[in-house]
Amino acid sequence: MLDSTITMKGQTTLPKAIRDSLALKPGDKVRYVVLDEGALIMPVRPTSLLFRSLRYDGPVVTLEEMERAIAEGASKG
């Protein structure tokens, strides 16, 4: 377990082990998610990192085909 202290300005320093674990560098952003039990600290990653992360090697699908598939899936539920 790691601790840090809140300053008079409400600031704190993330311990090095946390920064290393989350691969945070100076200037990176973090997001705080408040839960009933406490809070989570998560790195904010740019959406550009998602580019081509989900590969689709199938045939090209038109918007109309996608909408038809969505409608068919919705009618089954």
Side-chain angles (χ1 to χ4, degrees):
M1 182 179 299
L2 301 167
D3 299 326
S4 65
T5 302
I6 305 292
T7 68
M8 293 293 287
K9 292 184 176 183
Q11 300 171 331
T12 188
T13 300
L14 292 176
K16 183 173 183 343
I18 300 295
R19 296 191 313 267
D20 290 347
S21 173
L22 297 176
L24 293 170
K25 301 177 298 306
D28 286 350
K29 294 182 180 281
V30 294
R31 176 170 292 133
Y32 299 90
V33 180
V34 178
L35 306 171
D36 289 338
E37 310 81 42
L40 296 175
I41 299 174
M42 301 170 19
V44 175
R45 303 291 185 212
T47 55
S48 61
L49 293 178
L50 298 174
F51 183 68
R52 295 197 176 198
S53 64
L54 300 176
R55 274 241 134 102
Y56 177 71
D57 293 328
V60 175
V61 180
T62 67
L63 183 57
E64 290 78 18
E65 291 170 320
M66 285 188 254
E67 289 175 345
R68 185 171 39 254
I70 292 168
E72 289 173 5
S75 67
K76 290 180 184 178

